[in-house]
mmCIF file of all heavy atoms in Angstrom:
data_model
loop_
_atom_site.group_PDB
_atom_site.id
_atom_site.type_symbol
_atom_site.label_atom_id
_atom_site.label_comp_id
_atom_site.label_asym_id
_atom_site.label_seq_id
_atom_site.Cartn_x
_atom_site.Cartn_y
_atom_site.Cartn_z
ATOM 1 N N ALA A 84 10.905 1.524 12.158
ATOM 2 C CA ALA A 84 9.849 1.376 11.154
ATOM 3 C C ALA A 84 8.913 0.241 11.566
ATOM 4 O O ALA A 84 9.186 -0.497 12.521
ATOM 5 C CB ALA A 84 10.480 1.087 9.794
ATOM 6 N N GLY A 85 7.830 0.095 10.823
ATOM 7 C CA GLY A 85 6.814 -0.904 11.148
ATOM 8 C C GLY A 85 7.346 -2.326 11.137
ATOM 9 O O GLY A 85 6.827 -3.202 11.833
ATOM 10 N N ASP A 86 8.396 -2.588 10.350
ATOM 11 C CA ASP A 86 8.955 -3.949 10.298
ATOM 12 C C ASP A 86 10.022 -4.175 11.363
ATOM 13 O O ASP A 86 10.712 -5.195 11.345
ATOM 14 C CB ASP A 86 9.534 -4.238 8.906
ATOM 15 C CG ASP A 86 10.703 -3.310 8.558
ATOM 16 O OD1 ASP A 86 11.020 -2.399 9.356
ATOM 17 O OD2 ASP A 86 11.300 -3.493 7.479
ATOM 18 N N GLY A 87 10.172 -3.193 12.263
ATOM 19 C CA GLY A 87 11.113 -3.359 13.371
ATOM 20 C C GLY A 87 12.522 -2.859 13.070
ATOM 21 O O GLY A 87 13.363 -2.792 13.967
ATOM 22 N N GLN A 88 12.801 -2.495 11.823
ATOM 23 C CA GLN A 88 14.148 -2.010 11.486
ATOM 24 C C GLN A 88 14.379 -0.626 12.086
ATOM 25 O O GLN A 88 13.466 0.205 12.110
ATOM 26 C CB GLN A 88 14.333 -1.948 9.963
ATOM 27 C CG GLN A 88 14.268 -3.300 9.295
ATOM 28 C CD GLN A 88 15.374 -4.242 9.771
ATOM 29 O OE1 GLN A 88 16.430 -3.810 10.215
ATOM 30 N NE2 GLN A 88 15.112 -5.531 9.685
ATOM 31 N N VAL A 89 15.600 -0.390 12.552
ATOM 32 C CA VAL A 89 15.911 0.898 13.172
ATOM 33 C C VAL A 89 16.997 1.619 12.372
ATOM 34 O O VAL A 89 17.851 0.990 11.747
ATOM 35 C CB VAL A 89 16.360 0.728 14.643
ATOM 36 C CG1 VAL A 89 15.196 0.299 15.512
ATOM 37 C CG2 VAL A 89 17.516 -0.253 14.764
ATOM 38 N N PHE A 90 16.923 2.939 12.414
ATOM 39 C CA PHE A 90 17.894 3.775 11.701
ATOM 40 C C PHE A 90 17.872 5.154 12.340
ATOM 41 O O PHE A 90 16.982 5.462 13.139
ATOM 42 C CB PHE A 90 17.568 3.839 10.202
ATOM 43 C CG PHE A 90 16.123 4.098 9.906
ATOM 44 C CD1 PHE A 90 15.644 5.387 9.783
ATOM 45 C CD2 PHE A 90 15.229 3.042 9.783
ATOM 46 C CE1 PHE A 90 14.307 5.627 9.530
ATOM 47 C CE2 PHE A 90 13.883 3.277 9.534
ATOM 48 C CZ PHE A 90 13.425 4.573 9.404
ATOM 49 N N GLU A 91 18.848 5.977 11.980
ATOM 50 C CA GLU A 91 19.042 7.232 12.706
ATOM 51 C C GLU A 91 18.990 8.449 11.795
ATOM 52 O O GLU A 91 19.221 8.357 10.594
ATOM 53 C CB GLU A 91 20.410 7.199 13.410
ATOM 54 C CG GLU A 91 20.455 6.166 14.510
ATOM 55 C CD GLU A 91 21.847 5.946 15.070
ATOM 56 O OE1 GLU A 91 22.836 6.171 14.354
ATOM 57 O OE2 GLU A 91 21.940 5.531 16.225
ATOM 58 N N ALA A 92 18.707 9.592 12.419
ATOM 59 C CA ALA A 92 18.842 10.889 11.755
ATOM 60 C C ALA A 92 19.429 11.842 12.788
ATOM 61 O O ALA A 92 19.349 11.584 13.991
ATOM 62 C CB ALA A 92 17.497 11.397 11.259
ATOM 63 N N VAL A 93 20.009 12.920 12.317
ATOM 64 C CA VAL A 93 20.639 13.868 13.237
ATOM 65 C C VAL A 93 20.123 15.272 12.946
ATOM 66 O O VAL A 93 20.083 15.698 11.781
ATOM 67 C CB VAL A 93 22.179 13.839 13.101
ATOM 68 C CG1 VAL A 93 22.825 14.841 14.063
ATOM 69 C CG2 VAL A 93 22.714 12.433 13.370
ATOM 70 N N ARG A 94 19.709 15.961 14.009
ATOM 71 C CA ARG A 94 19.324 17.369 13.888
ATOM 72 C C ARG A 94 20.569 18.219 14.076
ATOM 73 O O ARG A 94 21.235 18.142 15.106
ATOM 74 C CB ARG A 94 18.282 17.724 14.950
ATOM 75 C CG ARG A 94 17.684 19.097 14.737
ATOM 76 C CD ARG A 94 16.728 19.448 15.846
ATOM 77 N NE ARG A 94 17.435 19.912 17.035
ATOM 78 C CZ ARG A 94 16.833 20.257 18.166
ATOM 79 N NH1 ARG A 94 15.530 20.165 18.276
ATOM 80 N NH2 ARG A 94 17.535 20.687 19.197
ATOM 81 N N ILE A 95 20.869 19.011 13.067
ATOM 82 C CA ILE A 95 22.103 19.807 13.060
ATOM 83 C C ILE A 95 21.733 21.281 13.195
ATOM 84 O O ILE A 95 20.946 21.798 12.397
ATOM 85 C CB ILE A 95 22.862 19.596 11.728
ATOM 86 C CG1 ILE A 95 23.197 18.112 11.538
ATOM 87 C CG2 ILE A 95 24.112 20.463 11.663
ATOM 88 C CD1 ILE A 95 23.696 17.781 10.133
ATOM 89 N N PRO A 96 22.277 21.971 14.192
ATOM 90 C CA PRO A 96 21.977 23.406 14.315
ATOM 91 C C PRO A 96 22.799 24.210 13.314
ATOM 92 O O PRO A 96 23.995 23.978 13.150
ATOM 93 C CB PRO A 96 22.418 23.715 15.751
ATOM 94 C CG PRO A 96 23.485 22.709 16.041
ATOM 95 C CD PRO A 96 23.189 21.479 15.227
ATOM 96 N N LEU A 97 22.137 25.130 12.630
ATOM 97 C CA LEU A 97 22.845 26.041 11.735
ATOM 98 C C LEU A 97 22.815 27.428 12.362
ATOM 99 O O LEU A 97 21.996 27.710 13.238
ATOM 100 C CB LEU A 97 22.163 26.095 10.365
ATOM 101 C CG LEU A 97 22.019 24.773 9.606
ATOM 102 C CD1 LEU A 97 21.254 25.005 8.304
ATOM 103 C CD2 LEU A 97 23.387 24.163 9.315
ATOM 104 N N GLU A 98 23.672 28.296 11.864
ATOM 105 C CA GLU A 98 23.632 29.671 12.340
ATOM 106 C C GLU A 98 22.366 30.323 11.805
ATOM 107 O O GLU A 98 21.770 29.856 10.876
ATOM 108 C CB GLU A 98 24.871 30.423 11.843
ATOM 109 C CG GLU A 98 26.125 29.958 12.566
ATOM 110 C CD GLU A 98 27.371 30.541 11.957
ATOM 111 O OE1 GLU A 98 27.254 31.484 11.165
ATOM 112 O OE2 GLU A 98 28.451 30.028 12.275
ATOM 113 N N ARG A 99 21.920 31.335 12.424
ATOM 114 C CA ARG A 99 20.886 32.289 11.969
ATOM 115 C C ARG A 99 19.558 32.264 12.682
ATOM 116 O O ARG A 99 18.864 33.277 12.543
ATOM 117 C CB ARG A 99 20.664 32.160 10.455
ATOM 118 C CG ARG A 99 21.912 32.564 9.687
ATOM 119 C CD ARG A 99 21.616 33.524 8.628
ATOM 120 N NE ARG A 99 21.295 32.884 7.371
ATOM 121 C CZ ARG A 99 20.649 33.490 6.396
ATOM 122 N NH1 ARG A 99 20.248 34.717 6.540
ATOM 123 N NH2 ARG A 99 20.399 32.880 5.277
ATOM 124 N N PRO A 100 19.016 31.408 13.422
ATOM 125 C CA PRO A 100 19.305 29.990 13.625
ATOM 126 C C PRO A 100 18.298 29.130 12.866
ATOM 127 O O PRO A 100 17.124 29.465 12.784
ATOM 128 C CB PRO A 100 19.114 29.830 15.126
ATOM 129 C CG PRO A 100 18.072 30.871 15.472
ATOM 130 C CD PRO A 100 18.121 31.948 14.419
ATOM 131 N N ARG A 101 18.761 28.027 12.348
ATOM 132 C CA ARG A 101 17.939 27.097 11.567
ATOM 133 C C ARG A 101 18.393 25.679 11.857
ATOM 134 O O ARG A 101 19.438 25.485 12.466
ATOM 135 C CB ARG A 101 18.115 27.382 10.079
ATOM 136 C CG ARG A 101 17.558 28.733 9.739
ATOM 137 C CD ARG A 101 17.964 29.250 8.423
ATOM 138 N NE ARG A 101 17.288 30.534 8.268
ATOM 139 C CZ ARG A 101 17.290 31.262 7.194
ATOM 140 N NH1 ARG A 101 17.954 30.849 6.145
ATOM 141 N NH2 ARG A 101 16.646 32.388 7.137
ATOM 142 N N TRP A 102 17.585 24.711 11.381
ATOM 143 C CA TRP A 102 17.998 23.309 11.488
ATOM 144 C C TRP A 102 18.338 22.767 10.111
ATOM 145 O O TRP A 102 17.704 23.118 9.114
ATOM 146 C CB TRP A 102 16.878 22.421 12.045
ATOM 147 C CG TRP A 102 16.287 22.759 13.363
ATOM 148 C CD1 TRP A 102 14.959 22.935 13.635
ATOM 149 C CD2 TRP A 102 16.960 22.909 14.623
ATOM 150 N NE1 TRP A 102 14.774 23.199 14.962
ATOM 151 C CE2 TRP A 102 15.978 23.190 15.598
ATOM 152 C CE3 TRP A 102 18.290 22.844 15.019
ATOM 153 C CZ2 TRP A 102 16.288 23.405 16.939
ATOM 154 C CZ3 TRP A 102 18.600 23.061 16.357
ATOM 155 C CH2 TRP A 102 17.612 23.331 17.292
ATOM 156 N N SER A 103 19.292 21.864 10.088
ATOM 157 C CA SER A 103 19.494 21.000 8.945
ATOM 158 C C SER A 103 19.315 19.575 9.468
ATOM 159 O O SER A 103 19.519 19.316 10.654
ATOM 160 C CB SER A 103 20.902 21.201 8.371
ATOM 161 O OG SER A 103 21.078 20.378 7.237
ATOM 162 N N VAL A 104 18.914 18.667 8.606
ATOM 163 C CA VAL A 104 18.691 17.288 9.040
ATOM 164 C C VAL A 104 19.562 16.357 8.212
ATOM 165 O O VAL A 104 19.536 16.394 6.972
ATOM 166 C CB VAL A 104 17.204 16.884 8.890
ATOM 167 C CG1 VAL A 104 17.001 15.458 9.402
ATOM 168 C CG2 VAL A 104 16.304 17.846 9.652
ATOM 169 N N CYS A 105 20.343 15.539 8.905
ATOM 170 C CA CYS A 105 21.131 14.496 8.248
ATOM 171 C C CYS A 105 20.274 13.228 8.238
ATOM 172 O O CYS A 105 19.911 12.702 9.289
ATOM 173 C CB CYS A 105 22.441 14.273 9.004
ATOM 174 S SG CYS A 105 23.445 12.954 8.297
ATOM 175 N N VAL A 106 19.928 12.776 7.044
ATOM 176 C CA VAL A 106 18.919 11.735 6.850
ATOM 177 C C VAL A 106 19.594 10.419 6.462
ATOM 178 O O VAL A 106 20.540 10.405 5.675
ATOM 179 C CB VAL A 106 17.965 12.198 5.716
ATOM 180 C CG1 VAL A 106 17.062 11.081 5.244
ATOM 181 C CG2 VAL A 106 17.142 13.391 6.177
ATOM 182 N N SER A 107 19.083 9.311 6.990
ATOM 183 C CA SER A 107 19.532 7.987 6.535
ATOM 184 C C SER A 107 18.725 7.571 5.311
ATOM 185 O O SER A 107 17.528 7.870 5.220
ATOM 186 C CB SER A 107 19.346 6.940 7.635
ATOM 187 O OG SER A 107 20.282 7.145 8.667
#
Side-chain angles (χ1 to χ4, degrees):
D86 63 356
Q88 296 298 335
V89 290
F90 46 89
E91 293 171 333
V93 180
R94 189 184 80 182
I95 301 169
L97 302 177
E98 288 172 14
R99 295 230 270 161
R101 294 166 178 186
W102 303 127
S103 181
V104 182
C105 178
V106 168
S107 288

